[in-house]
Amino acid sequence: GAVVSQHPSRVICKSGTSVKIECRSLDFQATTMFWYRQFPKQSLMLMATSNEGSKATYEQGVEKDKFLINHASLTLSTLTVTSAHPEDSSFYICSARWSGGMGHGGDTQYFGPGTRLTVL
Amino acid sequence: QQQVKQSPQSLIVQKGGIPIINCAYENTAFDYFPWYQQFPGKGPALLIAIRPDVSEKKEGRFTISFNKSAKQFSLHIMDSQPGDSATYFCAAISGAGSYQLTFGKGTKLSVIP
């Protein structure tokens, strides 16, 4: 249980185009999903918190008009990188909050496999 | 301000050894401490987690030791194998807050045959 998928796993696009990344919780409902960005050999940087049916909360320094987040259902959140530029190239990872415990004792986050974005 | 400090940054052990990764935190509102394992090009995978009312938790070859008074916790990997070579992140979360994970900076573990 507690599987999170991401699609696509890898995308290459031209500068100025928009890219949409989907994050799905496959076997549980997630009222809260998170989007992270990870640079090589670094830890995960939280970009935004996405709550089902409401506007996402963005971390300081993250442009909400550039990184559009939609959490339309309890199993799907999307991140759209608008007018992508080479500096947006990165590894984007989503996670879904699950309060089911599953032996771990409480709320935690399960991560998707990540999406490698390369903007040419 | 880094709220979860993780050390060492990298670690090399021989097969069968017991690597130990340490983390320390400041925020006493943290009430859940998961560890994640990440392989290159993959998302982090939940490995094991602990609450502060427990001093030790073991799952398979992975053990968390927790010292609430010192605000420290550590991951031990018993009988380490080359397949355990990955980056390990400790994290902390506050159930009373936004449920956001606060990550350590990660430890790159290499287990050599």
Side-chain angles (χ1 to χ4, degrees), chain B residues 9-76:
Chain B
Q9 188 174 0
S10 63
L11 188 54
I12 301 173
V13 299
Q14 285 202 309
K15 177 182 174 182
I18 305 176
I20 300 173
I21 304 170
N22 300 299
C23 288
Y25 65 98
E26 292 294 326
N27 187 351
T28 54
F30 289 145
D31 57 6
Y32 193 60
F33 302 86
W35 283 87
Y36 290 89
Q37 177 191 58
Q38 186 179 30
F39 293 103
K42 305 294 183 184
L46 178 64
L47 202 57
I48 186 173
I50 197 168
R51 287 208 174 277
D53 54 352
V54 176
S55 60
E56 184 177 281
K57 184 173 182 179
K58 186 177 296 186
E59 286 189 4
R61 295 185 294 109
F62 300 94
T63 299
I64 301 177
S65 297
F66 194 92
N67 186 328
K68 186 176 180 179
S69 61
K71 292 186 284 188
Q72 295 176 348
F73 57 110
S74 60
L75 176 70
H76 302 230

Side-chain angles (χ1 to χ4, degrees), chain A residues 9-10 38-42 91 93 112-116, chain B residues 36-45 82-89 107-110:
Chain A
S9 59
R10 185 180 296 268
Q38 187 176 34
F39 293 103
K41 299 183 180 180
Q42 293 190 21
F91 192 51
I93 311 173
T115 296
R116 172 73 58 193
Chain B
Y36 290 89
Q37 177 191 58
Q38 186 179 30
F39 293 103
K42 305 294 183 184
D84 296 329
S85 298
T87 299
Y88 293 81
F89 293 96
T107 296
K108 184 175 181 180
L109 171 66
S110 299

Side-chain angles (χ1 to χ4, degrees), chain A residues 27-98:
Chain A
D27 49 4
F28 66 101
Q29 293 184 330
T31 55
T32 305
M33 291 184 172
F34 302 86
W35 286 95
Y36 296 83
R37 186 172 179 176
Q38 187 176 34
F39 293 103
K41 299 183 180 180
Q42 293 190 21
S43 189
L44 287 78
M45 182 186 78
L46 180 66
M47 298 175 65
T49 301
S50 165
N51 290 297
E52 187 264 338
S54 63
K55 291 184 178 180
T57 303
Y58 291 83
E59 295 300 299
Q60 191 174 10
V62 178
E63 297 176 60
K64 62 180 181 181
D65 294 331
K66 180 167 190 61
F67 299 100
L68 301 178
I69 292 173
N70 183 276
H71 192 160
S73 78
L74 289 173
T75 59
L76 173 64
S77 177
T78 60
L79 168 68
T80 301
V81 183
T82 62
S83 186
H85 291 281
E87 57 266 30
D88 298 324
S89 299
S90 190
F91 192 51
Y92 292 88
I93 311 173
C94 72
S95 72
R97 172 190 160 209
W98 188 39

